[in-house]
Amino acid sequence: KLKHTRSRMNLIIDRAKELQAIYPAYTIEITDTAELSINLSSEFLLSKLYALMLKETIPFKILDRLFSERYVSLEKTAQYYYLSNRTVQRKLKELNTILSNYDVSLDLKSKTLFKGEEYRIRYFFHTMYWQIFDETHKKNFDLTKTSIEKLKQTLKKLPTLYRHIDQEKFIQIVALSFYRIKRKHMIKELPEEMTKIKHLNISYEVFREDILKSVIKENYMVDKLPETEYQFLYYMFSVMTTYLPEEITEQGMRSLHLDTDSWRTAEIFAKTTQQFFNLPINVQDKRYLVLNAWIIHSSSKVFSSENKIDAFGKTTTEKDYIRVFPDLYLKVKELYFNLANQSEIFEQL
């Protein structure tokens, strides 16, 4: 039974029908007896509907406009969206709350419009635009089509398998970075963790010379970028990789020769997970666990956030996890209690 009044339900249904006009993969009706009927086609995707809803929100429209450096006054913003000045002020306050979770804030009095480390600003907007990713409407900014096709062909030839979705994700962060670089928003420094990560099969030199340089040239960029720009994109390239077990060799693991907190944390995680779930894994499976746990942990450490919310402020609570994973979540929670007893790093996760 829904806990809404009939008038409230009518407003929700009217909004759903408006979205149906641009995404006709479902129908929704309410009868005189207050029965709700929803029919989904075989092509319906909840993620697609969510993306469309996000693009229609005022917070997204404001952030998208600010990222494009098209700032207009509060009064003009209110007039453009048919809102009161007070409502716009409230929306800006909400946006600052979301941005603060990524260590970024609005700075509308400056030309940059945002305050924070450049790599964090890029990560936030990469996350935001990726949430509305759509094969038919890709956010590649002004990256040339020729360079995108060449980059895709290069990625396909790599010894590590790059899924189509991983290619699109990497292309978006490249496009977003070039967009910022062309507007003189350079990365001045990076945390040490980002300079230590290595790709299992692609060295930093190969990435820079054989993968990135041609993209830079195709997009009429300066021949030489600050080293931090190459390092940032190499890091993102590396942590966006999900290695398959058969791609991970002992020689490859040794070539990483890493002795970092992230690596030790990954080894603890793999060993404890194997014991906790009593997994009959072989050496190759263990390498798979350690390597991918290392990548995930590194990214979580670099882009840590105080609250588990997405780029639009949508929170994920413990109740949500239990609803979706009723048995597995409680077991994983118990696993993390065991991990926390072994390393203080896990107490912060």
Side-chain angles (χ1 to χ4, degrees):
K1 188 176 180 180
L2 297 173
K3 298 180 180 179
H4 293 303
T5 63
R6 188 178 180 85
S7 59
R8 175 65 175 168
M9 283 303 302
N10 283 330
L11 288 173
I12 294 172
I13 292 167
D14 288 343
R15 179 63 182 136
K17 286 183 175 179
E18 288 175 6
L19 289 168
Q20 184 188 353
I22 54 177
Y23 186 51
Y26 68 95
T27 60
I28 181 167
E29 295 178 354
I30 186 168
T31 67
D32 293 336
T33 56
E35 290 181 348
L36 192 65
S37 174
I38 302 175
N39 296 302
L40 309 178
S41 77
S42 58
E43 298 177 351
F44 177 83
L45 289 173
L46 184 59
S47 58
K48 169 76 172 178
L49 180 61
Y50 182 57
L52 288 170
M53 291 170 65
L54 289 177
K55 283 194 280 190
E56 292 294 313
T57 62
I58 298 300
F60 173 80
K61 290 178 179 179
I62 291 175
L63 283 172
D64 184 48
R65 193 178 187 88
L66 291 175
F67 185 76
S68 302
E69 298 185 340
R70 291 177 291 135
Y71 173 69
V72 294
S73 67
L74 186 146
E75 291 77 12
K76 288 185 178 179
T77 300
Q79 291 173 7
Y80 187 81
Y81 295 117
Y82 302 102
L83 300 171
S84 66
N85 289 357
R86 183 174 295 181
T87 299
V88 174
Q89 287 177 325
R90 189 176 72 250
K91 294 294 181 183
L92 291 174
K93 188 176 181 180
E94 291 171 5
L95 287 178
N96 250 332
T97 300
I98 296 169
L99 287 167
S100 67
N101 198 49
Y102 294 81
D103 289 326
V104 178
S105 62
L106 293 174
D107 189 10
L108 302 181
K109 293 182 179 180
S110 72
K111 290 183 179 180
T112 60
L113 299 178
F114 297 97
K115 186 185 295 182
E117 297 287 348
E118 177 61 22
Y119 75 91
R120 290 188 177 277
I121 293 172
R122 292 187 199 178
Y123 177 74
F124 170 79
F125 280 100
H126 171 61
T127 302
M128 185 184 92
Y129 287 123
W130 190 249
Q131 280 188 254
I132 61 162
F133 173 80
D134 185 346
E135 285 284 354
T136 58
H137 297 92
K138 299 174 184 178
K139 194 70 176 178
N140 290 331
F141 300 93
D142 49 5
L143 209 63
T144 67
K145 290 182 179 179
T146 305
S147 67
I148 291 173
E149 287 306 313
K150 286 185 178 180
L151 182 54
K152 283 184 178 180
Q153 291 304 315
T154 302
L155 293 174
K156 286 178 182 178
K157 295 175 183 177
L158 296 179
T160 301
L161 174 66
Y162 265 80
R163 300 174 302 167
H164 174 71
I165 197 70
D166 294 329
Q167 292 177 29
E168 294 293 351
K169 200 170 188 179
F170 177 64
I171 288 168
Q172 182 182 277
I173 192 66
V174 171
L176 189 148
S177 293
F178 283 15
Y179 184 85
R180 294 287 288 177
I181 290 168
K182 286 182 176 181
R183 285 152 184 79
K184 311 301 181 185
H185 301 298
M186 299 290 193
I187 294 176
K188 296 178 181 177
E189 59 181 344
L190 294 169
E192 187 179 14
E193 176 73 19
M194 294 185 81
T195 63
K196 285 185 174 181
I197 282 285
K198 298 179 181 179
H199 192 283
L200 182 65
N201 298 314
I202 312 296
S203 69
Y204 174 68
E205 291 73 21
V206 169
F207 171 80
R208 177 173 171 162
E209 298 300 319
D210 298 346
I211 298 176
L212 206 58
K213 231 172 187 180
S214 63
V215 186
I216 293 172
K217 187 177 180 180
E218 284 280 347
N219 286 276
Y220 315 106
M221 303 273 285
V222 293
D223 288 337
K224 190 171 182 180
L225 296 174
E227 199 67 21
T228 47
E229 294 293 346
Y230 292 107
Q231 289 173 335
F232 170 75
L233 288 172
Y234 181 63
Y235 177 83
M236 299 304 292
F237 172 76
S238 300
V239 298
M240 285 178 181
T241 305
T242 301
Y243 299 99
L244 300 176
E246 56 268 26
E247 295 174 339
I248 306 169
T249 63
E250 184 178 355
Q251 183 180 358
M253 292 285 276
R254 280 203 304 267
S255 70
L256 296 173
H257 52 78
L258 287 169
D259 183 29
T260 64
D261 288 340
S262 293
W263 187 259
R264 285 188 288 274
T265 301
E267 289 184 318
I268 292 171
F269 174 82
K271 181 180 178 181
T272 306
T273 300
Q274 179 187 5
Q275 294 172 346
F276 184 82
F277 289 104
N278 195 25
L279 300 174
I281 62 176
N282 56 33
V283 175
Q284 193 174 44
D285 292 332
K286 188 175 180 181
R287 290 188 198 127
Y288 171 78
L289 266 177
V290 172
L291 188 58
N292 286 296
W294 169 57
I295 290 169
I296 293 169
H297 176 68
S298 174
S299 182
S300 298
K301 182 179 178 182
V302 169
F303 301 114
S304 60
S305 56
E306 186 176 346
N307 301 304
K308 303 301 179 185
I309 65 175
D310 66 13
F312 296 95
K314 185 177 181 294
T315 59
T316 303
T317 65
E318 187 171 59
K319 287 183 178 179
D320 294 323
Y321 289 123
I322 293 174
R323 176 175 52 81
V324 179
F325 310 105
D327 298 321
L328 183 60
Y329 174 74
L330 295 176
K331 289 180 181 178
V332 171
K333 189 175 181 180
E334 185 181 346
L335 167 65
Y336 268 81
F337 278 129
N338 291 347
L339 289 166
N341 290 330
Q342 300 178 63
S343 171
E344 62 181 15
I345 292 175
F346 290 100
E347 293 179 358
Q348 302 166 12
L349 299 179

